[in-house]
Amino acid sequence: MTPDTIHSVRDRLNIRSGRLFIDGKWLEWDGPRFDQINPTLNEVIASFPEAGKRGVDLAVAAARKAFDAGPWPTMPAHDRKRILQRIIERVYAAEEELAQLQTLDNGIPYTFSRNSRASGKAAAETLDHFAGWADKLTGETYPQFSSASNMHYMSFREPVGVVAAILPWNVPLSMFAKKVGPALASGCTVVVKPSENTNLALTRLAEIFGESDLPAGVFNFVTGAGETGEALATHAGIDKVSFTGSTAVGERIVAASGFNMKRLSLELGGKSAGIIFPDARSVQASAKGLMALSSTFLSGQVCTTPSRAIVHQSIFDEFVHYAGEQVKSVRFGDPFDPATTSAPLINKRQMQRVLGYVASGVEEGATLVFGGDAATDLPGNWVNPALFINVNGGMTVVREEIFGPVLTATPFETEEEAIRIANESEYGLSGTVFTTDVTRAFRVAQKIRSGTIGINGFASVANAPMGGVKRSGIGREGGFPGIEAFTELKTVNFNLDV
Ligand code: NAD
């Protein structure tokens, strides 16, 4: 492990970290600050302003003024799109730097930060997709309904207003793009708050937005922890909250939104199933693939991770064998070393939480096949990837989102049983079915209660909707539903008798 790499990348990229971007200017903040801890070294890497209620009030007032007075919401769509396209070109140009900063933020191995769907390039593509919608947001005309009057109707699609975009730490670039892209393209103004764990890459991205032709107040960026998030989510000047994070916080936002009817989009937790049938193209590849999603990349800290393997009993032993083979290739260490496969857990608290879940699994009678202990020879928060078998739906490790490198595996006999086990969850975000029987694949995909489902693979993209049912959230991000959620329909009535 070389702290040198991390320090030198930080110093070279030199993010200015004492400021909030409000009303078209970077404001030196005279209020309290908080430390961001790097999860690879467990050292302070930078400190950022805690915007708190005062910073949020200023940012919302700026966004409110920019929305109510314009010109952004009513600007001709093509002009709005051109401004966004120029920003997007700069995001593409900064992709390498953004990927490095994201690796400093959350320890995601640089190879993934640069090349996966979590990358700066993927964020630019998502922004690009949504900028393309700016001039395609149309309403409808309706045929005359009744001869009693000569009323005619048409609808217009208008921006929803001032948006609070509250982000998690695991894939900050991607989350920023999925919210800020459609919000700005539809004509909304926005106040963005990154997670307190990951501010570096998004501060750089905010600098790019800040140096653009966006009118003052259209884009605002505040840093801070839960209290700042709460001040933003409950602010009377906010029309819509677009939140990605834990179900616990999402449910607080739902409760708080009740008194003023804020619009909500909530992308929350998951406990998705990976179902392997005996006719999967390769049991070995499916087993290794499922185990890799829990043990490499962000080490299971991804909402869509299929953290419950549901495996036909005829191939169950083979599955356990290959899952064990896969973890032999896992490498912890310097995230800028191409040999490193897995991110550390985001902080010590999350590491203790994961270790607590592992202990609960053992106490409740599950069998720990391997892993589940801390990698104590490193300063970062790594837990060796764990596999539990002999589990049931009542156990904590099967019910709760662990958000770490812990996979449970349950055998099944019939297709109906596999579907029943998969649906035995309070969550409904995603899942994957491995089979070469195409009719079975569709049958099972239709019966799983989730917002998204993969057949022989899973990846979310900018132009297809993604989101959850049950406690996994409300709404969809991606494609038209992802921008529709930032609009309101206004129906105009024309009386042609006057
Ligand atoms: P978190 O809920 O702890 O924090 C998310 C954001 O909410 C942070 O910016 C935080 O500061 C803010 N916040 C905290 N308390 C708040 C409050 N009372 N009001 C308003 N904002 C508040 O989540 P996290 O630990 O950053 O992220 C991990 C979670 O995110 C996991 O549950 C994961 O499944 C979920 N997630 C979901 C998706 C998805 O698309 N469904 C994607 C990524 C992550």
Side-chain angles (χ1 to χ4, degrees), residues 65-229:
K65 187 171 65 151
F67 187 80
D68 294 341
W72 187 250
T74 49
M75 188 183 279
H78 182 72
D79 297 351
R80 206 162 55 221
K81 187 163 88 173
R82 283 298 297 139
I83 292 176
L84 294 174
Q85 283 169 335
R86 286 195 288 269
I87 296 174
I88 291 161
E89 285 316 311
R90 293 202 53 203
V91 179
Y92 275 117
E95 65 169 276
E96 186 177 342
E97 188 185 354
L98 290 168
Q100 291 179 354
L101 288 165
Q102 185 168 249
T103 293
L104 292 182
D105 271 326
N106 63 9
I108 180 174
Y110 180 66
T111 324
F112 291 114
S113 194
R114 184 74 204 275
N115 302 310
S116 73
R117 64 186 197 275
S119 67
K121 179 168 177 283
E125 288 165 359
T126 299
L127 292 167
D128 202 3
H129 169 75
F130 284 113
W133 276 108
D135 55 7
K136 297 167 193 72
L137 294 171
T138 55
E140 291 177 329
T141 55
Y142 304 92
Q144 185 173 11
F145 186 72
S146 155
S147 57
S149 75
N150 199 7
M151 296 293 281
H152 292 258
Y153 298 83
M154 64 170 70
S155 62
F156 291 83
R157 200 168 279 285
E158 299 182 340
V160 72
V162 179
V163 171
I166 304 178
L167 313 179
W169 52 266
N170 61 343
V171 279
L173 293 169
S174 153
M175 293 295 126
F176 178 103
K178 284 184 168 184
K179 296 182 188 319
V180 175
L184 295 187
S186 63
C188 294
T189 61
V190 66
V191 180
V192 183
K193 191 199 87 60
S195 160
E196 57 274 31
N197 297 304
T198 49
N199 302 280
L200 292 166
L202 294 190
T203 298
R204 181 73 196 103
L205 207 44
E207 285 171 359
I208 294 173
F209 277 71
E211 287 157 9
S212 69
D213 300 325
L214 287 171
V218 169
F219 173 84
N220 304 273
F221 181 79
V222 297
T223 49
E227 274 178 34
T228 296

Side-chain angles (χ1 to χ4, degrees), residues 324-346:
E325 287 296 301
Q326 188 280 326
V327 295
K328 289 179 186 162
S329 64
V330 167
R331 295 284 175 276
F332 302 148
D334 181 344
F336 290 100
D337 179 346
T340 300
T341 59
S342 313
L345 300 176
I346 189 65

Side-chain angles (χ1 to χ4, degrees), residues 315-486:
I315 54 169
F316 194 78
D317 290 346
E318 209 182 334
F319 170 84
V320 172
H321 168 76
Y322 284 119
E325 287 296 301
Q326 188 280 326
V327 295
K328 289 179 186 162
S329 64
V330 167
R331 295 284 175 276
F332 302 148
D334 181 344
F336 290 100
D337 179 346
T340 300
T341 59
S342 313
L345 300 176
I346 189 65
N347 51 35
K348 282 194 183 302
R349 191 167 59 96
Q350 177 63 4
M351 177 156 160
Q352 289 312 319
R353 227 178 130 241
V354 170
L355 293 172
Y357 273 117
V358 173
S360 84
V362 174
E363 273 161 33
E364 291 174 20
T367 305
L368 182 61
V369 185
F370 51 75
D373 54 329
T376 48
D377 53 332
L378 294 165
N381 311 310
W382 276 285
V383 170
N384 289 310
L387 177 67
F388 276 112
I389 58 170
N390 296 322
V391 292
N392 63 57
M395 290 179 176
T396 313
V397 284
V398 177
R399 282 188 295 111
E400 296 190 9
E401 182 188 48
I402 297 175
F403 224 54
V406 181
L407 181 66
T408 64
T410 310
F412 70 88
E413 265 183 62
T414 63
E415 185 178 307
E416 290 66 33
E417 192 186 3
I419 293 164
R420 181 183 58 72
I421 297 169
N423 285 338
E424 220 173 46
S425 175
E426 292 180 341
Y427 293 102
L429 192 56
S430 62
T432 308
V433 185
F434 296 91
T435 175
T436 45
D437 177 340
V438 73
T439 50
R440 183 194 340 249
F442 274 99
R443 211 164 45 226
V444 175
Q446 281 180 329
K447 287 186 180 159
I448 301 292
R449 286 208 60 209
S450 63
T452 50
I453 184 98
I455 294 172
N456 297 320
F458 183 89
S460 65
V461 285
N463 69 345
M466 136 91 211
V469 302
K470 302 198 271 185
R471 291 185 74 203
S472 290
I474 299 173
R476 296 290 179 269
E477 288 186 330
F480 177 66
I483 192 162
E484 182 186 26
F486 290 87

Side-chain angles (χ1 to χ4, degrees), residues 18-20 22 27-33 49-52 54-56 58:
R19 307 174 302 163
L20 305 174
I22 295 176
L27 202 71
E28 295 296 338
W29 192 239
D30 55 2
R33 293 168 76 104
E50 181 71 58
R54 183 161 64 96
V56 165
L58 290 172

